[in-house]
Amino acid sequence: MAKEYQYHSNIWLEEPEPSNPFAAKACFCSGYDVHSDVIPNAGWFEYLLLLFKGERPKKQDTALLEKLAMVLANPGPREASVRAAMNAGVAQTNHSSALMAALAVGAGQYGGAQELSICITLWQECQFDITRWQERLLNPSNDERADIWLPMEHAPGFDPNGDATPTPILQSLELLAGLAPANGALAWLKASRQALELHVGYPLAMSGLAAAALVDLGMGEDQGSMLYLMLRLPGAAVHALEQKQVGWKNFPFYGPAIELEEDAFPGSKDRKGEHK
Amino acid sequence: MSHKHLLETEKHWLTRKGKAFLSDRVILHRKDLHQDLGDYEWMRVFLYSILERDVEENVAKLLNTFWVCTGYPDASIWPNHVTALAATVRSTPSLSLMAGMSVSEASIYGRRPEVRALDFFYRAGQHCDAGGDLIEFVENEKAAGRTLYGYGRPLANSDERVPFMLAKAKEFGLDGGRHLQIALDVYAYLNETYGFSMNVAAIHAGLAADVGLNCQEYQLFMTPCFISGMIPCYQDARDRPEGSFFPVRCTNIVYNGPAKRKWGN
């Protein structure tokens, strides 16, 4: 336990203004002067990769991350994390609430960051061994203990509610694999997709595609999870704002769709069917 | 698998849990919220909501003390610190408390140790039921490299909540359960063999097992348990000047990364 009130960082250095120890005169990110050098000369995705990796990225990695960010930017209003943000937006709550809702819901194991994290962990273990992948996709956890996360209910990176692979997934896989190393995860996924889908019985999902892209960018499961959470927020933000304008009278209210089973009423034996 | 089953719930959600019949009444687990549960203490409604059943008075009182004894009004404790940071920058009460609550689902304190400790005692009990030895079970877990949640404490070498909880369990007549005894037996062994201390997560989990909570129920029950300690931390930072909660000077970021270098064009 640290006794001094100091934070340790390999990422960030600050030099104070002479007049105020709590104001930075210069900030350095992995050795680069942020305001004098990085911001004027680098792009947003170069800077993002510098933050996550600590090194100036190759052009190929920057291009891959930028396109991945565009692929993930808006999961669309049907997706659970965006719907959560829209619920916040239509209620005119704080903007932070909308994004917190999107983060919490987008953290999950069905299409969310925890699923992506498991995928990246499996990449580290299975690499390009399709037999190992086939085995582990159907048994993604070998820990019998209970945890704060529930056990996975489907093959991570694939959509159990899917039929054929959705066109945007195929388009994105094609595009991203073209920007990634020829011997990398995306290239292998592109070549192995059909065999894996046949094995698990349902199609590749965006989480599985994103995990392969993040593996090609050298991200571990923690880094990948953070990026996945962040990169999906633009859609949550704009749809929350949009629903604030649209208003609650034009927003679905599911009350009539929720039906309480007959025997779930107080004294249901005597009052059977009264809700109808 | 396919999308076909989604069609069933696209416009219809059949449930046994409850429903709000607006302008009329509200049903929660077969009881009318206002008519049947209206005189309950809030904690009893919370437990009823989780468990779908009423618990005995002494069980509710015991579980109530789980919350009472873990709400520490000290802004050095990580969830409280987050709440205080939110207050010093003048965020809202809900955002501040939810941020604190969400970081309570941590690995070095809070929800993961609690869930893992409860699971550990249930598995230990099953191991013994199958004719195994408790110490053998503990050693197997250790040998597998697994943290023995509930034993040791990150910031201190004893836990003031342990004697408090043991006294409360006795007061409510719930100190004779099997899993609490397992927790104490494991402590006796680990302390004797490795010098480990015991923290309240072990006692709470042992008691939670003895009153029959499963891991999910326990996780839900414990989720808000730090919140009474967060509130004074929020208020304290809120009432002081903006940004004044433990400000960090530039030089207190201790940098160990690459040396200065040029990015260039």
Side-chain angles (χ1 to χ4, degrees):
Chain A
M1 173 172 38
K3 295 286 184 196
E4 296 296 326
Y5 303 120
Q6 294 175 330
Y7 294 89
H8 294 262
S9 178
N10 291 330
I11 297 171
W12 204 256
L13 166 68
E14 290 191 1
E15 291 174 347
E17 292 283 3
S19 58
N20 182 356
F22 299 101
K25 181 184 179 186
C27 304
F28 296 84
C29 180
S30 293
Y32 297 109
D33 188 318
V34 174
H35 297 91
S36 299
D37 203 4
V38 178
I39 294 172
N41 295 316
W44 160 230
F45 291 97
E46 285 181 297
Y47 185 31
L48 197 55
L49 280 167
L50 174 68
L51 281 163
F52 271 81
K53 303 297 292 180
E55 290 299 332
R56 185 174 179 166
K58 293 181 286 188
K59 282 197 163 39
Q60 189 186 29
D61 285 349
T62 308
L64 176 59
L65 179 61
E66 182 173 357
K67 291 301 177 191
L68 174 65
M70 292 173 75
V71 165
L72 298 177
N74 189 9
R78 294 183 307 103
E79 195 272 339
S81 71
V82 179
R83 277 173 70 187
M86 294 195 308
N87 270 272
V90 79
Q92 299 178 35
T93 181
N94 307 302
H95 300 317
S96 168
S97 309
L99 295 186
M100 284 166 75
L103 287 171
V105 175
Q109 294 177 167
Y110 175 58
Q114 180 66 7
E115 177 174 22
L116 175 124
S117 176
I118 293 168
C119 287
I120 294 181
T121 306
L122 290 180
W123 268 107
Q124 289 157 0
E125 180 190 326
C126 303
Q127 305 274 320
F128 304 125
D129 180 343
I130 194 157
T131 309
R132 191 91 181 112
W133 268 109
Q134 288 173 335
E135 180 189 326
R136 296 291 277 133
L137 282 173
L138 300 181
N139 295 290
S141 174
N142 44 21
D143 191 338
E144 82 282 12
R145 291 177 298 175
D147 187 36
I148 56 171
W149 293 102
L150 290 165
M152 276 300 288
E153 298 173 30
H154 66 276
F158 293 80
D159 181 6
N161 293 323
D163 295 281
T165 320
T167 304
I169 301 263
L170 293 174
Q171 290 171 316
S172 302
L173 178 58
E174 185 71 25
L175 175 74
L176 297 180
L179 296 170
N183 59 350
L186 280 165
W188 187 87
L189 181 63
K190 187 182 162 189
S192 311
R193 176 185 61 82
Q194 285 178 307
L196 294 170
E197 288 176 337
L198 196 64
H199 184 74
V200 302
Y202 36 87
L204 180 68
M206 193 58 88
S207 55
L209 171 60
L214 290 161
V215 166
D216 277 344
L217 288 167
M219 301 295 169
E221 69 269 27
D222 295 333
Q223 296 167 313
S225 184
M226 285 285 193
L227 277 168
Y228 189 67
L229 286 165
M230 290 165 50
L231 295 177
R232 299 206 305 169
L233 288 181
V238 296
H239 285 296
L241 294 175
E242 182 180 45
Q243 293 306 316
K244 182 179 176 183
Q245 296 305 318
V246 169
W248 62 270
K249 289 181 180 172
N250 291 311
F251 193 76
F253 175 67
Y254 284 95
I258 295 176
E259 183 188 350
L260 198 57
E261 284 190 40
E262 276 190 18
D263 65 352
F265 282 82
S268 58
K269 281 180 185 167
D270 302 328
R271 298 156 79 173
K272 193 172 179 181
E274 72 169 321
H275 61 292
K276 287 191 174 167
Chain B
M1 295 171 88
S2 80
H3 75 279
K4 293 288 193 301
H5 72 106
L6 297 181
L7 300 175
E8 294 169 16
T9 51
E10 188 181 8
K11 295 178 180 173
H12 185 218
W13 188 261
L14 189 62
T15 181
R16 300 179 51 76
K17 300 293 184 186
K19 181 171 170 65
F21 297 92
L22 300 180
S23 304
D24 182 7
R25 64 207 169 107
V26 178
I27 308 299
L28 169 63
H29 301 317
R30 300 176 307 285
K31 289 194 178 184
D32 185 305
L33 182 66
H34 304 115
Q35 301 302 321
D36 302 331
L37 301 170
D39 292 328
Y40 276 40
E41 294 282 337
W42 186 86
M43 176 61 83
R44 298 295 294 272
V45 178
F46 182 60
L47 286 167
Y48 181 72
S49 176
I50 294 170
L51 300 172
E52 304 187 23
R53 60 181 165 85
D54 276 316
V55 295
E56 292 168 358
E57 183 79 16
N58 62 336
V59 171
K61 282 184 174 175
L62 178 80
L63 291 171
N64 185 62
T65 62
F66 283 32
W67 276 26
V68 171
C69 83
T70 49
Y72 284 17
D74 186 318
S76 68
I77 295 167
W78 293 293
N80 300 355
H81 202 82
V82 169
T83 305
L85 286 169
T88 202
V89 301
R90 305 295 188 261
S91 192
T92 69
S94 289
L95 293 173
S96 306
L97 295 176
M98 289 310 110
M101 204 156 88
S102 66
V103 302
S104 304
E105 205 166 51
S107 292
I108 60 170
Y109 60 84
R111 303 300 87 77
R112 177 165 276 145
E114 290 157 5
V115 169
R116 283 277 161 94
L118 179 58
D119 178 68
F120 174 81
F121 294 133
Y122 275 131
R123 288 186 299 113
Q126 288 159 7
H127 179 85
C128 295
D129 287 342
D133 175 65
L134 179 61
I135 303 310
E136 173 192 58
F137 180 79
V138 171
E139 284 299 337
N140 287 346
E141 291 285 303
K142 270 190 105 258
R146 292 173 171 180
T147 302
L148 300 174
Y149 290 100
Y151 300 95
R153 195 181 186 196
L155 298 174
N157 51 20
S158 68
D159 190 334
E160 60 285 348
R161 294 165 294 185
V162 168
F164 170 83
M165 280 310 309
L166 290 173
K168 285 293 178 190
K170 188 171 184 183
E171 179 183 334
F172 301 129
L174 292 164
D175 60 335
R178 178 196 193 193
H179 295 94
L180 178 62
Q181 192 57 52
I182 291 177
L184 295 171
D185 290 346
V186 170
Y187 167 62
Y189 172 72
L190 290 173
N191 183 255
E192 169 82 20
T193 314
Y194 303 107
F196 285 12
S197 61
M198 176 169 62
N199 67 61
V200 80
I203 299 297
H204 277 168
L207 290 167
D210 286 338
V211 300
L213 301 189
N214 66 33
C215 290
Q216 273 282 303
E217 291 164 347
Y218 188 45
Q219 189 176 349
L220 284 168
F221 171 72
M222 292 299 274
T223 291
C225 78
F226 299 146
I227 211 159
S228 64
M230 291 176 199
I231 290 169
C233 300
Y234 171 82
Q235 293 169 320
D236 202 14
R238 177 201 63 192
D239 294 343
R240 312 282 189 95
E242 290 175 303
S244 66
F245 179 71
F246 291 128
V248 180
R249 62 180 56 223
C250 296
T251 51
N252 271 346
I253 300 170
V254 180
Y255 178 69
N256 293 303
K260 288 179 183 174
R261 45 187 169 168
K262 289 294 288 179
W263 186 279
N265 293 317

mmCIF file of all heavy atoms in Angstrom, chain B residues 125-160:
data_model
loop_
_atom_site.group_PDB
_atom_site.id
_atom_site.type_symbol
_atom_site.label_atom_id
_atom_site.label_comp_id
_atom_site.label_asym_id
_atom_site.label_seq_id
_atom_site.Cartn_x
_atom_site.Cartn_y
_atom_site.Cartn_z
ATOM 1 N N GLY B 125 -18.770 -27.626 1.545
ATOM 2 C CA GLY B 125 -19.791 -28.472 2.162
ATOM 3 C C GLY B 125 -20.069 -29.711 1.320
ATOM 4 O O GLY B 125 -20.190 -30.832 1.853
ATOM 5 N N GLN B 126 -20.152 -29.509 0.006
ATOM 6 C CA GLN B 126 -20.413 -30.645 -0.895
ATOM 7 C C GLN B 126 -19.252 -31.643 -0.865
ATOM 8 O O GLN B 126 -19.449 -32.852 -0.906
ATOM 9 C CB GLN B 126 -20.625 -30.141 -2.333
ATOM 10 C CG GLN B 126 -21.955 -29.412 -2.524
ATOM 11 C CD GLN B 126 -21.960 -28.509 -3.740
ATOM 12 O OE1 GLN B 126 -21.021 -28.497 -4.540
ATOM 13 N NE2 GLN B 126 -23.026 -27.730 -3.888
ATOM 14 N N HIS B 127 -18.038 -31.085 -0.797
ATOM 15 C CA HIS B 127 -16.848 -31.939 -0.726
ATOM 16 C C HIS B 127 -16.906 -32.811 0.531
ATOM 17 O O HIS B 127 -16.620 -34.019 0.478
ATOM 18 C CB HIS B 127 -15.598 -31.056 -0.725
ATOM 19 C CG HIS B 127 -14.312 -31.816 -0.622
ATOM 20 N ND1 HIS B 127 -13.683 -32.355 -1.732
ATOM 21 C CD2 HIS B 127 -13.540 -32.128 0.448
ATOM 22 C CE1 HIS B 127 -12.580 -32.969 -1.335
ATOM 23 N NE2 HIS B 127 -12.457 -32.838 -0.020
ATOM 24 N N CYS B 128 -17.281 -32.193 1.640
ATOM 25 C CA CYS B 128 -17.363 -32.944 2.903
ATOM 26 C C CYS B 128 -18.524 -33.943 2.858
ATOM 27 O O CYS B 128 -18.404 -35.060 3.383
ATOM 28 C CB CYS B 128 -17.521 -31.992 4.086
ATOM 29 S SG CYS B 128 -16.078 -30.929 4.322
ATOM 30 N N ASP B 129 -19.634 -33.540 2.226
ATOM 31 C CA ASP B 129 -20.777 -34.461 2.086
ATOM 32 C C ASP B 129 -20.378 -35.722 1.326
ATOM 33 O O ASP B 129 -20.912 -36.807 1.575
ATOM 34 C CB ASP B 129 -21.932 -33.794 1.325
ATOM 35 C CG ASP B 129 -22.635 -32.758 2.168
ATOM 36 O OD1 ASP B 129 -22.469 -32.798 3.404
ATOM 37 O OD2 ASP B 129 -23.346 -31.907 1.591
ATOM 38 N N ALA B 130 -19.463 -35.536 0.376
ATOM 39 C CA ALA B 130 -19.028 -36.671 -0.451
ATOM 40 C C ALA B 130 -17.943 -37.493 0.251
ATOM 41 O O ALA B 130 -17.321 -38.366 -0.361
ATOM 42 C CB ALA B 130 -18.528 -36.173 -1.800
ATOM 43 N N GLY B 131 -17.711 -37.169 1.516
ATOM 44 C CA GLY B 131 -16.744 -37.935 2.287
ATOM 45 C C GLY B 131 -15.355 -37.342 2.310
ATOM 46 O O GLY B 131 -14.424 -37.921 2.870
ATOM 47 N N GLY B 132 -15.210 -36.153 1.699
ATOM 48 C CA GLY B 132 -13.890 -35.518 1.659
ATOM 49 C C GLY B 132 -13.580 -34.782 2.947
ATOM 50 O O GLY B 132 -14.436 -34.605 3.823
ATOM 51 N N ASP B 133 -12.357 -34.324 3.015
ATOM 52 C CA ASP B 133 -11.862 -33.642 4.207
ATOM 53 C C ASP B 133 -11.789 -32.138 3.912
ATOM 54 O O ASP B 133 -11.368 -31.718 2.822
ATOM 55 C CB ASP B 133 -10.473 -34.199 4.542
ATOM 56 C CG ASP B 133 -9.860 -33.447 5.696
ATOM 57 O OD1 ASP B 133 -10.404 -33.528 6.804
ATOM 58 O OD2 ASP B 133 -8.835 -32.757 5.467
ATOM 59 N N LEU B 134 -12.196 -31.319 4.872
ATOM 60 C CA LEU B 134 -12.234 -29.871 4.663
ATOM 61 C C LEU B 134 -10.836 -29.309 4.372
ATOM 62 O O LEU B 134 -10.660 -28.487 3.475
ATOM 63 C CB LEU B 134 -12.855 -29.188 5.892
ATOM 64 C CG LEU B 134 -12.938 -27.663 5.834
ATOM 65 C CD1 LEU B 134 -13.806 -27.207 4.673
ATOM 66 C CD2 LEU B 134 -13.464 -27.096 7.151
ATOM 67 N N ILE B 135 -9.871 -29.735 5.129
ATOM 68 C CA ILE B 135 -8.517 -29.212 4.947
ATOM 69 C C ILE B 135 -7.963 -29.609 3.576
ATOM 70 O O ILE B 135 -7.301 -28.802 2.905
ATOM 71 C CB ILE B 135 -7.588 -29.723 6.077
ATOM 72 C CG1 ILE B 135 -8.150 -29.329 7.455
ATOM 73 C CG2 ILE B 135 -6.168 -29.216 5.889
ATOM 74 C CD1 ILE B 135 -8.535 -27.877 7.608
ATOM 75 N N GLU B 136 -8.277 -30.807 3.183
ATOM 76 C CA GLU B 136 -7.874 -31.266 1.844
ATOM 77 C C GLU B 136 -8.485 -30.352 0.778
ATOM 78 O O GLU B 136 -7.811 -29.958 -0.181
ATOM 79 C CB GLU B 136 -8.366 -32.708 1.663
ATOM 80 C CG GLU B 136 -8.192 -33.281 0.287
ATOM 81 C CD GLU B 136 -8.974 -34.599 0.149
ATOM 82 O OE1 GLU B 136 -10.208 -34.596 0.344
ATOM 83 O OE2 GLU B 136 -8.332 -35.597 -0.141
ATOM 84 N N PHE B 137 -9.760 -29.985 0.968
ATOM 85 C CA PHE B 137 -10.435 -29.096 0.021
ATOM 86 C C PHE B 137 -9.726 -27.744 -0.040
ATOM 87 O O PHE B 137 -9.466 -27.210 -1.121
ATOM 88 C CB PHE B 137 -11.900 -28.924 0.436
ATOM 89 C CG PHE B 137 -12.673 -28.025 -0.486
ATOM 90 C CD1 PHE B 137 -13.134 -28.498 -1.704
ATOM 91 C CD2 PHE B 137 -12.931 -26.698 -0.145
ATOM 92 C CE1 PHE B 137 -13.844 -27.666 -2.572
ATOM 93 C CE2 PHE B 137 -13.625 -25.862 -1.004
ATOM 94 C CZ PHE B 137 -14.088 -26.352 -2.212
ATOM 95 N N VAL B 138 -9.408 -27.203 1.123
ATOM 96 C CA VAL B 138 -8.730 -25.906 1.183
ATOM 97 C C VAL B 138 -7.376 -25.985 0.473
ATOM 98 O O VAL B 138 -7.017 -25.108 -0.322
ATOM 99 C CB VAL B 138 -8.543 -25.463 2.657
ATOM 100 C CG1 VAL B 138 -7.660 -24.233 2.760
ATOM 101 C CG2 VAL B 138 -9.899 -25.203 3.311
ATOM 102 N N GLU B 139 -6.644 -27.020 0.749
ATOM 103 C CA GLU B 139 -5.314 -27.166 0.141
ATOM 104 C C GLU B 139 -5.420 -27.361 -1.373
ATOM 105 O O GLU B 139 -4.573 -26.869 -2.124
ATOM 106 C CB GLU B 139 -4.557 -28.326 0.791
ATOM 107 C CG GLU B 139 -3.997 -27.988 2.169
ATOM 108 C CD GLU B 139 -2.980 -26.838 2.138
ATOM 109 O OE1 GLU B 139 -2.382 -26.578 1.081
ATOM 110 O OE2 GLU B 139 -2.804 -26.192 3.189
ATOM 111 N N ASN B 140 -6.456 -28.082 -1.824
ATOM 112 C CA ASN B 140 -6.652 -28.239 -3.269
ATOM 113 C C ASN B 140 -6.901 -26.892 -3.941
ATOM 114 O O ASN B 140 -6.387 -26.623 -5.025
ATOM 115 C CB ASN B 140 -7.841 -29.169 -3.558
ATOM 116 C CG ASN B 140 -7.509 -30.614 -3.246
ATOM 117 O OD1 ASN B 140 -6.349 -30.974 -3.063
ATOM 118 N ND2 ASN B 140 -8.543 -31.449 -3.165
ATOM 119 N N GLU B 141 -7.704 -26.062 -3.289
ATOM 120 C CA GLU B 141 -7.984 -24.731 -3.842
ATOM 121 C C GLU B 141 -6.698 -23.906 -3.908
ATOM 122 O O GLU B 141 -6.421 -23.243 -4.896
ATOM 123 C CB GLU B 141 -9.019 -23.993 -2.978
ATOM 124 C CG GLU B 141 -10.394 -24.583 -3.031
ATOM 125 C CD GLU B 141 -11.129 -24.267 -4.324
ATOM 126 O OE1 GLU B 141 -11.311 -23.091 -4.666
ATOM 127 O OE2 GLU B 141 -11.536 -25.231 -5.017
ATOM 128 N N LYS B 142 -5.937 -23.970 -2.845
ATOM 129 C CA LYS B 142 -4.662 -23.227 -2.801
ATOM 130 C C LYS B 142 -3.724 -23.713 -3.890
ATOM 131 O O LYS B 142 -3.085 -22.935 -4.588
ATOM 132 C CB LYS B 142 -3.985 -23.390 -1.426
ATOM 133 C CG LYS B 142 -4.381 -22.327 -0.426
ATOM 134 C CD LYS B 142 -3.514 -22.387 0.810
ATOM 135 C CE LYS B 142 -2.497 -21.269 0.854
ATOM 136 N NZ LYS B 142 -1.172 -21.531 0.524
ATOM 137 N N ALA B 143 -3.661 -25.038 -4.025
ATOM 138 C CA ALA B 143 -2.746 -25.622 -5.016
ATOM 139 C C ALA B 143 -3.153 -25.248 -6.439
ATOM 140 O O ALA B 143 -2.301 -25.152 -7.329
ATOM 141 C CB ALA B 143 -2.726 -27.148 -4.863
ATOM 142 N N ALA B 144 -4.457 -25.013 -6.641
ATOM 143 C CA ALA B 144 -4.937 -24.601 -7.971
ATOM 144 C C ALA B 144 -4.687 -23.106 -8.212
ATOM 145 O O ALA B 144 -5.058 -22.570 -9.253
ATOM 146 C CB ALA B 144 -6.428 -24.918 -8.106
ATOM 147 N N GLY B 145 -4.047 -22.457 -7.252
ATOM 148 C CA GLY B 145 -3.711 -21.043 -7.407
ATOM 149 C C GLY B 145 -4.886 -20.116 -7.165
ATOM 150 O O GLY B 145 -4.867 -18.957 -7.577
ATOM 151 N N ARG B 146 -5.933 -20.614 -6.517
ATOM 152 C CA ARG B 146 -7.127 -19.810 -6.314
ATOM 153 C C ARG B 146 -7.035 -18.993 -5.029
ATOM 154 O O ARG B 146 -6.598 -19.500 -3.991
ATOM 155 C CB ARG B 146 -8.355 -20.715 -6.252
ATOM 156 C CG ARG B 146 -8.655 -21.361 -7.591
ATOM 157 C CD ARG B 146 -9.762 -22.368 -7.477
ATOM 158 N NE ARG B 146 -10.181 -22.827 -8.797
ATOM 159 C CZ ARG B 146 -11.145 -23.713 -9.002
ATOM 160 N NH1 ARG B 146 -11.773 -24.245 -7.980
ATOM 161 N NH2 ARG B 146 -11.475 -24.069 -10.217
ATOM 162 N N THR B 147 -7.460 -17.747 -5.133
ATOM 163 C CA THR B 147 -7.535 -16.897 -3.946
ATOM 164 C C THR B 147 -8.593 -17.444 -3.002
ATOM 165 O O THR B 147 -9.680 -17.831 -3.430
ATOM 166 C CB THR B 147 -7.932 -15.465 -4.356
ATOM 167 O OG1 THR B 147 -6.967 -14.973 -5.293
ATOM 168 C CG2 THR B 147 -7.996 -14.530 -3.158
ATOM 169 N N LEU B 148 -8.269 -17.500 -1.728
ATOM 170 C CA LEU B 148 -9.248 -17.939 -0.734
ATOM 171 C C LEU B 148 -9.932 -16.688 -0.197
ATOM 172 O O LEU B 148 -9.480 -16.070 0.776
ATOM 173 C CB LEU B 148 -8.554 -18.721 0.386
ATOM 174 C CG LEU B 148 -7.816 -19.981 -0.078
ATOM 175 C CD1 LEU B 148 -7.043 -20.604 1.083
ATOM 176 C CD2 LEU B 148 -8.777 -20.999 -0.677
ATOM 177 N N TYR B 149 -11.009 -16.303 -0.888
ATOM 178 C CA TYR B 149 -11.693 -15.061 -0.536
ATOM 179 C C TYR B 149 -12.284 -15.176 0.867
ATOM 180 O O TYR B 149 -12.851 -16.193 1.237
ATOM 181 C CB TYR B 149 -12.790 -14.752 -1.548
ATOM 182 C CG TYR B 149 -12.228 -14.355 -2.899
ATOM 183 C CD1 TYR B 149 -12.172 -15.266 -3.945
ATOM 184 C CD2 TYR B 149 -11.735 -13.067 -3.101
ATOM 185 C CE1 TYR B 149 -11.647 -14.899 -5.178
ATOM 186 C CE2 TYR B 149 -11.207 -12.690 -4.328
ATOM 187 C CZ TYR B 149 -11.173 -13.622 -5.361
ATOM 188 O OH TYR B 149 -10.650 -13.249 -6.577
ATOM 189 N N GLY B 150 -12.137 -14.093 1.621
ATOM 190 C CA GLY B 150 -12.608 -14.086 2.998
ATOM 191 C C GLY B 150 -11.455 -14.226 3.985
ATOM 192 O O GLY B 150 -11.656 -14.069 5.181
ATOM 193 N N TYR B 151 -10.286 -14.494 3.449
ATOM 194 C CA TYR B 151 -9.122 -14.677 4.333
ATOM 195 C C TYR B 151 -8.011 -13.722 3.891
ATOM 196 O O TYR B 151 -7.717 -13.613 2.705
ATOM 197 C CB TYR B 151 -8.683 -16.141 4.323
ATOM 198 C CG TYR B 151 -9.813 -17.023 4.806
ATOM 199 C CD1 TYR B 151 -10.686 -17.630 3.903
ATOM 200 C CD2 TYR B 151 -10.076 -17.142 6.162
ATOM 201 C CE1 TYR B 151 -11.768 -18.367 4.350
ATOM 202 C CE2 TYR B 151 -11.159 -17.873 6.621
ATOM 203 C CZ TYR B 151 -12.002 -18.487 5.714
ATOM 204 O OH TYR B 151 -13.076 -19.196 6.166
ATOM 205 N N GLY B 152 -7.443 -13.026 4.878
ATOM 206 C CA GLY B 152 -6.533 -11.923 4.574
ATOM 207 C C GLY B 152 -7.373 -10.686 4.299
ATOM 208 O O GLY B 152 -8.578 -10.766 4.050
ATOM 209 N N ARG B 153 -6.745 -9.522 4.375
ATOM 210 C CA ARG B 153 -7.454 -8.262 4.127
ATOM 211 C C ARG B 153 -6.450 -7.302 3.514
ATOM 212 O O ARG B 153 -5.343 -7.160 4.041
ATOM 213 C CB ARG B 153 -7.996 -7.711 5.449
ATOM 214 C CG ARG B 153 -9.045 -6.629 5.276
ATOM 215 C CD ARG B 153 -9.509 -6.105 6.637
ATOM 216 N NE ARG B 153 -10.619 -5.168 6.468
ATOM 217 C CZ ARG B 153 -11.027 -4.340 7.404
ATOM 218 N NH1 ARG B 153 -10.442 -4.319 8.589
ATOM 219 N NH2 ARG B 153 -12.024 -3.515 7.178
ATOM 220 N N PRO B 154 -6.816 -6.609 2.403
ATOM 221 C CA PRO B 154 -5.820 -5.791 1.711
ATOM 222 C C PRO B 154 -5.208 -4.686 2.567
ATOM 223 O O PRO B 154 -4.029 -4.419 2.482
ATOM 224 C CB PRO B 154 -6.607 -5.175 0.547
ATOM 225 C CG PRO B 154 -7.853 -5.939 0.401
ATOM 226 C CD PRO B 154 -8.111 -6.611 1.710
ATOM 227 N N LEU B 155 -5.992 -4.019 3.395
ATOM 228 C CA LEU B 155 -5.496 -2.815 4.054
ATOM 229 C C LEU B 155 -5.236 -2.957 5.552
ATOM 230 O O LEU B 155 -4.747 -2.050 6.181
ATOM 231 C CB LEU B 155 -6.500 -1.666 3.835
ATOM 232 C CG LEU B 155 -6.736 -1.254 2.378
ATOM 233 C CD1 LEU B 155 -7.850 -0.216 2.291
ATOM 234 C CD2 LEU B 155 -5.466 -0.712 1.756
ATOM 235 N N ALA B 156 -5.603 -4.088 6.114
ATOM 236 C CA ALA B 156 -5.462 -4.241 7.564
ATOM 237 C C ALA B 156 -5.285 -5.724 7.880
ATOM 238 O O ALA B 156 -5.602 -6.580 7.061
ATOM 239 C CB ALA B 156 -6.695 -3.687 8.270
ATOM 240 N N ASN B 157 -4.781 -6.028 9.060
ATOM 241 C CA ASN B 157 -4.565 -7.442 9.362
ATOM 242 C C ASN B 157 -5.610 -8.024 10.302
ATOM 243 O O ASN B 157 -5.481 -9.153 10.756
ATOM 244 C CB ASN B 157 -3.146 -7.682 9.890
ATOM 245 C CG ASN B 157 -2.823 -6.745 11.026
ATOM 246 O OD1 ASN B 157 -3.748 -6.204 11.636
ATOM 247 N ND2 ASN B 157 -1.547 -6.535 11.294
ATOM 248 N N SER B 158 -6.636 -7.261 10.600
ATOM 249 C CA SER B 158 -7.775 -7.837 11.308
ATOM 250 C C SER B 158 -9.018 -7.107 10.830
ATOM 251 O O SER B 158 -8.932 -6.091 10.138
ATOM 252 C CB SER B 158 -7.614 -7.710 12.819
ATOM 253 O OG SER B 158 -7.687 -6.343 13.184
ATOM 254 N N ASP B 159 -10.166 -7.631 11.191
ATOM 255 C CA ASP B 159 -11.411 -7.037 10.696
ATOM 256 C C ASP B 159 -12.373 -6.864 11.862
ATOM 257 O O ASP B 159 -12.849 -7.846 12.448
ATOM 258 C CB ASP B 159 -12.023 -7.944 9.616
ATOM 259 C CG ASP B 159 -13.180 -7.265 8.885
ATOM 260 O OD1 ASP B 159 -13.815 -6.363 9.481
ATOM 261 O OD2 ASP B 159 -13.436 -7.635 7.727
ATOM 262 N N GLU B 160 -12.632 -5.590 12.187
ATOM 263 C CA GLU B 160 -13.501 -5.258 13.311
ATOM 264 C C GLU B 160 -14.937 -5.756 13.123
ATOM 265 O O GLU B 160 -15.701 -5.856 14.088
ATOM 266 C CB GLU B 160 -13.500 -3.730 13.540
ATOM 267 C CG GLU B 160 -13.992 -2.885 12.370
ATOM 268 C CD GLU B 160 -12.995 -2.780 11.221
ATOM 269 O OE1 GLU B 160 -11.817 -3.174 11.387
ATOM 270 O OE2 GLU B 160 -13.402 -2.336 10.134
#
